[in-house]
Amino acid sequence: MNAVTKPDRRNSRPTRRRVGLGMLSHTLITVMLATAAHAQSGTGTAAEPAQTASGAASPARHVVLISVDGFRPDFYIKSRWPAVMMRRMAHEGAFATGVQGVHPSVTYPSHTTLVTGARPATHGIYYNSPFEPDGQTGAWYWESSAITSPTLWDAVHARGGTSATLWWPVTVGANITWNVPEIWPLDNSDRTASLRAATRPRDFLAELESKAVEPMDDRFRGAVLSRDDRMAAMASYTLREKKPSLMLVHFTTTDSHQHSYGRDHHMVERAVQVVDRGIARIVEAAEEAGILDRTTFIITGDHGFSDIHTTLAPNVWLAEAGLLGSTPNGSDWRARFHTSGASAFLMLRNPSDTAAVRIAHNAVTSQSAAVQKLMVLVGHDEMQRIGADPNAAFSISGVDGVSMTSARDGAAVRPGKGGTHGHYPGFRNMETGFVAWGAGIRAGARLGQMQLTNVAPLVGALLDLDFVAPDGVLLSGALSFVPKSPRATQTSTVPPRDATHESNYRSFRTADSLREYFNPNSVAGTLVSAHRGGPAAGFPDNALPTFERSLGFGPMLIELDVRRTSDGTLVVLHDDEITRTTTGSGRVGELLRNSLHAIRLRTTSGQPTAFAIPTLSDAFDWAKGRAVLRLDVKSGVTPQQIVSAVKAAQAENRTMAIARSMDEVAAYQQLMPSLMLSFWFDPDRDGRLSASEADSLLAMPFDRSRFVVGVGSIRDGWDSQVVAKLHARGVRSMVSTFGELDAAAMRGEWQRFCPLVEARVGMLITDAVPQAAQAVRECITPAAQR
């Protein structure tokens, strides 16, 4: 079976060259040239643009995001296609040679990614049609309430702007100023009735019929070329008369004709020509409205297309294996494939039925070598990595030229024809396109290969929105100005190393060298442990950028909190209920890791930030070559899980775990004897370690060279003689300074830390990170240096 790690990047057939059809008027070409020059210079002529926090102002006041269903890069790159307008936009603005989409590469998940910058696992629109356990009704994801990530129209509304959409998927009921959503009746009756009922304001479609197009009728279907002419007319009227901040337009005939005839039929050429003249018409409307110099046009799509020669019916294999039950819509099925274009996703009646997963997996992998060459199996781990439906156990995707059907009877391998999409997005024919032109776009920008998740951050930056794309990255090279930071950028990746902090970085080759660092007789002296990473104004607790900031004050142990999601991912969060510290809600233990992608951390004062919730794996990656992590392991996370995570990251040389009991100490030392531990030994529960308790601890059969032991706190007191006793036996001590001492230090009395440093306390557990670090540097006496 084909591996997903080496996608086929070759085109399936050569492309015929033909002279492009159609010409622009001299006036329109002149307008475009002038606008391109304007975009390059970044100047504006109308409303004063808002200033960004860092860098120049965005010259864009309006963004028109146009989706061409089934859009392919060759439409604007190769001259055989009649796309004069799109080619000129690409030449004068920015374009990509290909845009990799999501899995499955179908319309509704892709369009939701365009407006959220999130993958399906994050935004919640997994397919065109939701999986219905009791049988598919034919309903699609029409309602915007199904979207679980913030959208561009939400951000526009929050900014006080206006928005308009024309036939954009998943927008019924959306917070959009002028909305004609994509919807049709399940019984295939008059399509205009459902359209009128869902349009907002209710009279907006009637306004378009009276002033932009003839009255709508049942010919408003995807295969009718005049449909996209009507779409262009409605979009032109809306832009000219309403001047929305954001307008979304969905052209569809290119998709319909590629489905019917394949990639290179002359009807596809005609559809491209209709769309191209529609785009030119919308540009002309911006000129007529007097906003062309402040408007950005982005032309993109949802997927490419594959010419189909074979169709697979994988449910036939499940029927043979006894997993489908006795009737098509019966309740006795255990597992079945939910097909979406050229992919099929294994769904379970009982999510814990692992036996059914094994049977289904075997049913697929036991097919002949010839059949296996027709498909790619995408395992659950890979599904998670690429952000596909978290409810599916695994998926199979046809290779280029192979589609899927949900049929459960007949031949499992059958002839196919026409074109389709929906494949795992790993080969060239499935890539869509991207062109950006107008205000704020850098002329001549060539973006190469990009991701569909990167479109929304670009729109957010152009309109200066408070918008963060959970899975997207801002391609600032496409812009003619310096965008505001950190909005519209991905923040879940490891922050770059800060050269000004590197003298404070600490790196250890092995776990043994880390142990020597904690020896109280080492040159390390008193260490500072930044509680929750060292939050400050604008920097929430348990965030990677907060950790990096703390290292600016001195060598630092980074204390972070570890919790476990319902699907077993270890994440860095303090509270079990996440409402206080994040923009989300719910209990960590009841949430899937993928549901946390769109959530952002809040500061201690409650202000939302652009910072994502890191996983423990993210923190291990960040700490490499930088610092030691001190893991505050919360309820529900076991020593076995922590040790497994440390082993997986090969992080023994940069990790210390906090043990809650002597049983946990014993468990850690049995599971991973080389792991550093810190804990509080307090049998009498008075908050401090006495001399007799210290003797009892030192007599226990543990490797004390791997310990840091708490001796007390500022509130409960601590004994310098106990510190000296532990020191003499090679055990580093620690004191908690929470409360009155930290508060005084933050008021400027950092010298209050000096008695602790002079008594050679081994570690300060503190919220006053800068002040404690200063004390470690400056409260040095001859006694403390011995």
Side-chain angles (χ1 to χ4, degrees):
M1 187 167 298
N2 294 353
V4 298
T5 53
K6 291 187 67 177
D8 183 3
R9 290 283 182 179
R10 297 170 297 174
N11 284 316
S12 62
R13 62 170 64 180
T15 306
R16 293 176 289 125
R17 297 183 64 84
R18 182 177 301 174
V19 176
L21 304 178
M23 291 189 63
L24 290 173
S25 69
H26 174 77
T27 301
L28 188 52
I29 292 175
T30 302
V31 169
M32 289 190 298
L33 290 171
T35 305
H38 160 80
Q40 192 169 16
S41 66
T43 58
T45 59
E48 192 68 25
Q51 292 293 324
T52 57
S54 61
S58 169
R61 309 304 292 163
H62 310 273
V63 171
V64 179
L65 177 59
I66 297 173
S67 165
V68 181
D69 211 307
F71 191 43
R72 291 153 41 196
D74 50 326
F75 289 169
Y76 54 84
I77 291 175
K78 297 182 178 180
S79 60
R80 63 152 291 191
W81 295 98
V84 177
M85 185 73 198
M86 286 188 277
R87 267 200 303 280
R88 184 163 292 278
M89 286 175 146
H91 175 71
E92 296 176 349
F95 73 87
T97 56
V99 181
Q100 191 175 75
V102 298
H103 184 45
S105 48
V106 294
T107 300
Y108 277 40
S110 301
H111 277 79
T112 310
T113 292
L114 285 173
V115 296
T116 62
R119 300 185 182 99
T122 303
H123 63 53
I125 309 302
Y126 306 130
Y127 315 103
N128 287 343
S129 298
F131 175 69
E132 298 173 276
D134 297 324
Q136 298 302 117
T137 64
W140 286 36
Y141 279 106
W142 287 314
E143 302 287 338
S144 65
S145 58
I147 301 176
T148 56
S149 294
T151 63
L152 288 170
W153 57 72
D154 292 326
V156 167
H157 177 78
R159 186 66 183 269
T162 56
S163 55
T165 56
L166 294 165
W167 206 247
W168 197 271
V170 204
T171 54
V172 173
N175 188 19
I176 295 168
T177 315
W178 300 281
N179 184 19
V180 180
E182 179 166 301
I183 189 172
W184 58 86
L186 290 177
D187 60 3
N188 204 32
S189 59
D190 180 9
R191 298 168 74 86
T192 64
S194 54
L195 190 62
R196 294 181 195 284
T199 295
R200 295 293 183 273
R202 290 187 178 276
D203 60 353
F204 181 49
L205 185 57
E207 179 183 349
L208 293 173
E209 289 177 302
S210 65
K211 297 184 179 180
V213 295
E214 61 187 8
M216 302 291 283
D217 55 32
D218 203 39
R219 291 177 298 159
F220 192 68
R221 296 177 180 269
V224 181
L225 290 175
S226 63
R227 169 205 180 100
D228 279 350
D229 283 325
R230 292 184 180 187
M231 194 66 64
M234 291 189 290
S236 299
Y237 171 85
T238 302
L239 184 61
R240 184 175 58 251
E241 301 300 326
K242 310 297 186 184
K243 302 180 183 63
S245 308
L246 174 67
M247 186 166 79
L248 310 177
V249 184
H250 181 202
F251 288 111
T252 61
T253 55
T254 43
D255 177 82
S256 297
H257 290 299
Q258 287 179 96
H259 274 298
S260 297
Y261 307 110
R263 290 167 54 89
D264 294 321
H265 196 270
H266 68 84
M267 285 300 296
V268 181
E269 293 177 341
R270 289 179 61 188
V272 170
Q273 186 179 36
V274 169
V275 169
D276 189 70
R277 72 177 178 233
I279 293 170
R281 186 171 180 178
I282 298 170
V283 170
E284 189 174 47
E287 180 190 13
E288 292 170 348
I291 59 172
L292 185 58
D293 63 336
R294 307 189 302 281
T295 302
T296 311
F297 293 85
I298 295 176
I299 320 299
T300 187
D302 44 5
H303 50 73
F305 253 89
S306 174
D307 286 329
I308 298 304
H309 54 72
T310 301
T311 298
L312 296 180
N315 277 322
V316 171
W317 301 327
L318 299 190
E320 294 170 349
L323 293 174
L324 289 191
S326 56
T327 60
N329 294 323
S331 60
D332 57 343
W333 65 275
R334 293 177 62 189
R336 74 169 179 247
F337 281 112
H338 179 54
T339 56
S340 186
S343 292
F345 296 77
L346 187 72
M347 313 303 291
L348 301 175
R349 186 78 179 185
N350 178 357
S352 63
D353 191 352
T354 55
V357 177
R358 288 195 299 272
I359 296 170
H361 190 276
N362 183 65
V364 173
T365 57
S366 64
Q367 300 304 310
S368 68
V371 172
Q372 291 193 43
K373 289 180 180 178
L374 299 175
M375 57 187 172
V376 172
L377 191 149
V378 187
H380 186 69
D381 289 347
E382 176 67 4
M383 294 267 288
Q384 286 191 309
R385 187 187 70 80
I386 63 175
D389 182 2
N391 304 296
F394 64 85
S395 69
I396 55 176
S397 175
V399 300
D400 194 6
V402 178
S403 186
M404 298 281 170
T405 175
S406 61
R408 54 183 283 161
D409 302 312
V413 182
R414 55 190 75 182
K417 64 178 182 178
T420 199
H421 48 89
H423 304 72
Y424 178 92
F427 60 95
R428 195 60 180 264
N429 280 351
M430 208 42 52
E431 292 176 353
T432 190
F434 174 88
V435 175
W437 178 85
I441 298 300
R442 182 170 67 86
R446 302 297 176 257
L447 305 178
Q449 300 286 307
M450 60 180 281
Q451 300 288 319
L452 200 67
T453 52
N454 298 342
V455 175
L458 190 68
V459 175
L462 285 162
L463 292 177
D464 191 29
L465 300 176
D466 288 324
F467 178 81
V468 175
D471 301 313
V473 175
L474 174 61
L475 303 179
S476 56
L479 301 174
S480 62
F481 62 98
V482 179
K484 180 180 296 185
S485 177
R487 293 174 187 168
T489 60
Q490 185 181 22
T491 57
S492 60
T493 54
V494 174
R497 293 172 68 91
D498 190 327
T500 63
H501 300 174
E502 288 191 357
S503 63
N504 297 328
Y505 288 172
R506 294 294 181 267
S507 179
F508 305 94
R509 189 173 60 85
T510 66
D512 285 342
S513 58
L514 177 62
R515 177 194 61 192
E516 290 306 311
Y517 180 69
F518 281 103
N519 186 313
N521 296 305
S522 72
V523 297
T526 299
L527 304 175
V528 177
S529 179
H531 183 230
R532 303 190 192 180
F539 289 86
D541 63 39
N542 287 301
L544 301 186
T546 304
F547 302 167
E548 186 69 34
R549 174 186 181 273
S550 292
L551 287 182
F553 301 110
M556 200 71 55
L557 276 77
I558 302 297
E559 181 190 322
L560 53 83
D561 302 289
V562 183
R563 290 193 177 274
R564 187 174 183 268
T565 64
S566 64
D567 54 354
T569 302
L570 298 181
V571 294
V572 182
L573 281 168
H574 181 272
D575 294 3
D576 178 36
E577 164 46 63
I578 67 174
T579 304
R580 182 184 68 84
T581 58
T582 78
T583 58
S585 62
R587 295 187 177 278
V588 179
E590 298 172 357
L591 299 173
L592 293 171
R593 165 58 190 163
N594 286 331
S595 69
L596 302 179
H597 279 311
I599 297 172
R600 290 296 177 264
L601 294 169
R602 295 183 183 274
T603 64
T604 54
S605 63
Q607 295 302 309
T609 70
F611 303 146
I613 299 170
T615 64
L616 182 57
S617 177
D618 293 333
F620 282 145
D621 288 345
W622 172 85
K624 190 173 184 178
R626 281 181 166 99
V628 178
L629 300 181
R630 184 167 173 263
L631 310 185
D632 189 348
V633 184
K634 298 301 185 182
S635 176
V637 182
T638 66
Q640 290 85 350
Q641 291 161 350
I642 291 296
V643 168
S644 294
V646 173
K647 287 180 177 178
Q650 298 181 327
E652 295 170 71
N653 63 343
R654 54 190 183 279
T655 304
M656 169 183 283
I658 298 176
R660 299 289 182 185
S661 67
M662 297 312 294
D663 287 340
E664 285 194 0
V665 171
Y668 278 118
Q669 290 228 316
Q670 182 177 6
L671 292 164
M672 183 177 278
S674 60
L675 185 66
M676 290 298 304
L677 300 174
S678 71
F679 60 92
W680 304 85
F681 183 71
D682 186 22
D684 63 6
R685 298 181 180 275
D686 68 348
R688 69 178 73 185
L689 185 69
S690 67
S692 61
E693 288 171 334
D695 289 336
S696 298
L697 174 64
L698 293 170
M700 290 182 176
F702 297 128
D703 179 2
R704 58 178 175 266
S705 70
R706 307 280 179 179
F707 288 170
V708 175
V709 176
V711 298
S713 65
I714 296 304
R715 183 189 65 188
D716 298 318
W718 58 281
D719 188 339
S720 61
Q721 296 302 312
V722 171
V723 171
K725 176 182 292 233
L726 294 174
H727 182 125
R729 299 291 295 274
V731 178
R732 184 174 287 267
S733 61
M734 60 183 176
V735 169
S736 166
T737 64
F738 302 153
E740 190 273 333
L741 176 53
D742 278 354
M746 291 178 187
R747 294 193 300 267
E749 300 175 39
W750 62 267
Q751 295 90 346
R752 297 278 293 271
F753 283 110
C754 287
L756 293 157
V757 176
E758 292 165 355
R760 303 177 72 187
V761 169
M763 186 188 302
L764 307 178
I765 315 300
T766 183
D767 285 324
V769 171
Q771 295 81 11
Q774 183 177 3
V776 167
R777 288 193 306 271
E778 301 188 26
C779 299
I780 301 297
T781 67
Q785 291 176 329
R786 287 197 302 269

